[in-house]
Amino acid sequence: MSADLSTDAEITWCPGCGNFGIFNAFKKVVKKLEDKGVDRNKLIISSGIGCHGKIVDYIGLSGLYSIHGRSMATVQGIKLGNPDLKVLAFAGDGDAYSEGIAHMIFAAKRNADITVIVHNNGTYALTTGQFSPTSRKGFKGPSLPEGNIEEPLNPLSLLLEAGASFVARGYAGKIDHLSDLIVEAVLHEGFSVIDVLQPSVVFNNTYKLYNEITEIIPKPAKSFEEAVKLAKEMRDRMAIGVFYKVNKPVFHQELMGNWNPIRDKLGRKERLKKVEEFFQQ
């Protein structure tokens, strides 16, 4: 693991892609977390399928690819296997809000202690620009040359209703702000999601729009209802920052208490003794 997190993998993202903003923000995150006492060896990442997924190759941390829409499920399993780890899932908007939407909703519902970072560019860029669940109405791509007739999904209001205990939106064009958001999300105990506005320079270049309408909010909403209202304000301005944050019991502690399958597992002799006791009953 190199000190600067670099790898030998060739970066094949398009020049100017919003993925670079998330990539550079996350490298800052690792350093900031180390300054707060989080060992980089305790950070585990996973990704789904799409342009975003290559981040696992480009960041020198322990991690693995998941199949499409399943990175949220993968990191939940890793967290249950070793609750001492900090686990993060990177997902695209199609990855998280289409194929993986059930995993997102149930991870939020059970307050799984994971962080999900969604690269939301409003299109399937890896497969050359089809419309995705967050594509705006009228969006034109190879699959809909006459324009998308559907209203876009609002992922933040959906995840708030599902029970998410930390909900935020970031912008790949504001790297320092985004890195602070990710740090806060990782340190939050419970399900944290950051929907990152991530322009695709080739298939959905939204830099000009987001540079004009994004507005940093200094602190979370005072109530759940205000957070939902804020999440639905998408016309004249788009707030970025932490929308909602609340402390709730987390899934692995509700399920296992303080037991850690790695730290507290029984030795071979103790396991055999347990088996013998079971059959003698």
Side-chain angles (χ1 to χ4, degrees):
M1 189 179 293
S2 64
D4 65 355
L5 299 171
S6 63
T7 71
D8 294 332
E10 178 187 1
I11 296 179
T12 58
W13 288 327
C14 302
C17 176
N19 280 325
F20 282 102
I22 301 172
F23 175 68
N24 290 321
F26 188 63
K27 288 198 291 187
K28 290 175 176 280
V29 166
V30 176
K31 178 65 172 62
K32 290 180 180 179
L33 287 173
E34 286 181 320
D35 292 342
K36 293 180 179 295
V38 179
D39 186 344
R40 66 173 62 185
N41 292 303
K42 297 287 187 181
L43 294 172
I44 309 295
I45 62 175
S46 185
S47 69
I49 302 301
C51 290
H52 79 277
K54 300 173 186 176
I55 197 168
V56 169
D57 289 335
Y58 303 156
I59 292 280
L61 290 174
S62 296
L64 72 160
Y65 280 104
S66 300
I67 57 176
H68 204 190
R70 305 298 185 268
S71 59
M72 296 75 69
T74 300
V75 297
Q76 285 181 72
I78 294 172
K79 185 69 181 182
L80 287 175
N82 186 352
D84 288 343
L85 300 175
K86 296 287 188 184
V87 296
L88 299 95
F90 292 89
D93 47 302
D95 196 42
Y97 303 142
S98 181
E99 284 84 352
I101 188 63
H103 295 295
M104 287 287 279
I105 288 174
F106 279 87
K109 174 179 174 291
R110 61 175 65 107
N111 199 29
D113 188 16
I114 68 174
T115 297
V116 183
I117 300 170
V118 182
H119 301 223
N120 185 356
N121 59 13
T123 183
Y124 286 87
L126 183 69
T127 47
T128 66
Q130 296 91 341
F131 84 111
S132 83
T134 56
S135 297
R136 68 185 181 280
K137 189 172 183 178
F139 172 83
K140 294 182 179 180
S143 65
L144 282 175
E146 301 300 322
N148 175 26
I149 61 172
E150 300 178 16
E151 292 289 344
L153 184 73
N154 186 321
L156 297 189
S157 61
L158 177 65
L159 290 167
L160 282 165
E161 295 287 357
S165 57
F166 183 105
V167 174
R169 181 190 287 139
Y171 171 36
K174 296 186 184 300
I175 292 174
D176 287 334
H177 178 255
L178 178 59
S179 69
D180 288 340
L181 284 182
I182 299 174
V183 169
E184 191 171 351
V186 172
L187 295 178
H188 173 73
E189 290 192 2
F191 179 83
S192 55
V193 57
I194 304 174
D195 183 76
V196 184
L197 305 172
Q198 179 249 310
S200 164
V201 289
V202 174
F203 299 108
N204 193 19
N205 192 345
T206 47
Y207 276 116
K208 183 176 184 298
L209 173 67
Y210 293 152
N211 285 337
E212 291 175 351
I213 69 171
T214 53
E215 177 181 317
I216 295 175
I217 53 173
K219 55 186 178 182
K222 294 179 180 177
S223 67
F224 174 81
E225 290 75 18
E226 284 190 20
V228 173
K229 181 181 178 183
L230 191 61
K232 292 182 178 179
E233 288 180 353
M234 299 181 65
R235 299 298 181 187
D236 299 326
R237 71 161 188 165
M238 291 188 79
I240 57 174
V242 180
F243 286 31
Y244 187 66
K245 183 178 179 181
V246 65
N247 293 322
K248 295 166 60 176
V250 297
F251 180 64
H252 68 272
Q253 290 177 343
E254 290 282 272
L255 184 68
M256 305 187 300
N258 291 322
W259 188 67
N260 183 309
I262 300 296
R263 183 189 62 220
D264 303 324
K265 68 179 180 182
L266 298 175
R268 176 179 171 78
K269 288 184 179 180
E270 293 171 295
R271 294 200 304 273
L272 289 174
K273 184 179 178 181
K274 291 281 185 184
V275 172
E276 290 176 0
E277 290 173 352
F278 176 80
F279 284 108
Q280 289 173 358
Q281 291 177 353

